[in-house]
Amino acid sequence: METGRIQAAAITGPFDLQSTLESGQTFRWRSADGETYRDAAPHGGEDWYLGLVDRRPVAIRWTGAALEWRSPDDPTEGLRRTLGLTESMADHLASLPDHPLVAAAERAFPGLRVVREPFFATLVSFVLSAQMRVERIHSLVQALAREYGRAHHLDGETVHAFPTPDRLAAATETELRELGLGYRAPYVRETAEMVASGRLTESDVAGREYEDARDLATEFVGVGEKVADCLLLFGLGYREPVPLDTWITTAIEEHFPEVAADSYEATSRGIRERLGPAPGVAQTYLFHYLRHRETLSGQGPATPS
DNA sequence: CTCCAGGGAGCCT
DNA sequence: AGGCTCCATGGA
């Protein structure tokens, strides 16, 4: 079970693997001990996470000083892209706006990064996300992979890829409902069919100016403005999107009341003007912080300055 | 028991 | 465009 050689790379600046992988940006990673999302607060994260990068299985863990991985290939470039390590931490943090709430989020989770995951997995994950908790989105994405995804093997562990569009399009609505998708089952099936048939694909959306890309993405079934923003932010590398979910909307009403508007589009425009050069990065910090600030004990990894 | 979760589709005006 | 209502499911 130790067939894979452990390799490692140092990362400059703070890095928080658990927060990055368990903050509702991606649902494709699971901890090897099966206790993903066991805790709200960061715990140092010395567990191995299993996932795929560039269609190959990878196990990764953060030691506190270096990123370690086991993989049959060299996943370095893909890992850097997936974990948001291609932008420097300095640039990453410098993109955050000067606002007390964002500053508190940065203090609480200084190593949080913005992930970049494959288009189709991100698309389906956030179609599933409607009216669901982060932990349950994760369990459903894992279930889809287990049921329909190709099985890879790594040091005795099985890692399932996210299903292809063809495979999901071939699933029946009944099958998907039995997995627990609820009313999202037909959305997932129809959206998969759109991609599989070429009716609307990644290449149609990518490369467009932000608002054009977002509007086009809403043609997928089960994709409205909010899910489209998530798709662009975590699956296509855009930095403008500020997904307006219940958490962010409440926070806007409390902390940015001047931009709280009636429509999604109006609120989106307003908040984007106030969240710095990379509004989506700031939103990612806010979302994670808002969900966990109640459970942040005074102790945590205190880093007195 | 009720309430809510990273909302969106369908329909109405 | 802007406002309903309904939609599954599980956990608190």
Side-chain angles (χ1 to χ4, degrees):
Chain A
M1 185 129 153
E2 277 295 280
T3 61
R5 184 165 99 257
I6 296 176
Q7 300 183 281
I11 293 174
T12 54
F15 180 60
D16 182 346
L17 183 65
Q18 183 192 7
S19 290
T20 300
L21 295 184
E22 299 191 13
S23 52
Q25 306 179 56
T26 173
F27 306 93
R28 299 186 65 231
W29 296 85
R30 63 179 176 89
S31 57
D33 62 12
E35 295 189 52
T36 318
Y37 297 102
R38 72 175 165 296
D39 251 331
H43 58 77
E46 296 183 349
D47 317 320
W48 288 100
Y49 284 89
L50 303 173
L52 287 98
V53 167
D54 295 330
R55 301 173 173 278
R56 305 291 290 165
V58 185
I60 53 177
R61 93 177 149 183
W62 172 244
T63 67
L67 181 68
E68 295 186 344
W69 67 83
R70 291 177 282 122
S71 176
D73 306 312
D74 176 6
T76 309
E77 282 313 301
L79 268 179
R80 286 172 48 77
R81 180 183 67 251
T82 299
L83 298 177
L85 296 168
T86 51
E87 344 175 63
S88 81
M89 181 57 81
D91 293 345
H92 191 74
L93 296 179
S95 74
L96 297 176
D98 182 16
H99 185 280
L101 189 66
V102 182
E106 179 188 345
R107 266 198 312 279
F109 301 100
L112 181 64
R113 309 292 308 207
V114 179
V115 307
R116 172 72 183 272
E117 288 282 14
F119 178 84
F120 184 65
T122 306
L123 172 60
V124 173
S125 295
F126 282 98
V127 167
L128 289 179
S129 75
Q131 294 294 101
M132 281 215 286
R133 288 181 172 78
V134 167
E135 292 79 0
R136 209 156 90 78
I137 303 167
H138 180 264
S139 72
L140 285 181
V141 168
Q142 295 295 314
L144 281 179
R146 211 163 46 235
E147 195 70 20
Y148 302 110
R150 175 181 168 185
H152 297 261
H153 301 283
L154 179 67
D155 297 342
E157 296 270 7
T158 301
V159 185
H160 290 272
F162 193 81
T164 63
D166 293 288
R167 186 63 192 89
L168 269 192
T172 68
E173 179 180 333
T174 302
E175 287 174 344
L176 294 175
R177 281 182 183 271
E178 284 171 355
L179 274 184
L181 301 202
Y183 62 83
R184 307 157 195 82
Y187 300 166
V188 167
R189 211 203 59 75
E190 290 177 40
T191 280
E193 194 164 74
M194 290 174 73
V195 176
S197 69
R199 224 285 277 155
L200 187 59
T201 67
E202 172 174 7
S203 59
D204 297 321
V205 179
R208 289 175 181 261
E209 186 273 332
Y210 160 60
E211 292 191 3
D212 285 345
R214 185 197 59 193
D215 292 344
L216 183 58
T218 62
E219 291 186 13
F220 287 115
V221 181
V223 177
E225 291 168 299
K226 187 271 174 185
V227 168
D229 273 339
C230 291
L231 174 63
L232 267 53
L233 180 57
F234 305 125
L236 287 172
Y238 285 78
R239 286 296 173 264
E240 300 97 325
V242 177
L244 299 178
D245 66 287
T246 55
W247 289 92
I248 296 294
T249 301
T250 300
I252 289 174
E253 290 167 357
E254 290 178 7
H255 297 274
F256 301 87
E258 68 279 7
V259 303
D262 42 359
S263 74
Y264 187 101
E265 174 56 22
T267 306
S268 173
R269 276 198 306 268
I271 195 65
R272 275 184 273 137
E273 289 176 0
R274 293 178 182 272
L275 288 184
V281 174
Q283 189 275 357
T284 302
Y285 272 81
L286 284 179
F287 177 74
H288 190 54
Y289 176 65
L290 292 168
R291 288 185 59 243
H292 295 299
R293 60 178 171 182
E294 303 300 330
T295 58
L296 286 174
S297 59
Q299 35 171 335
T303 51
S305 53

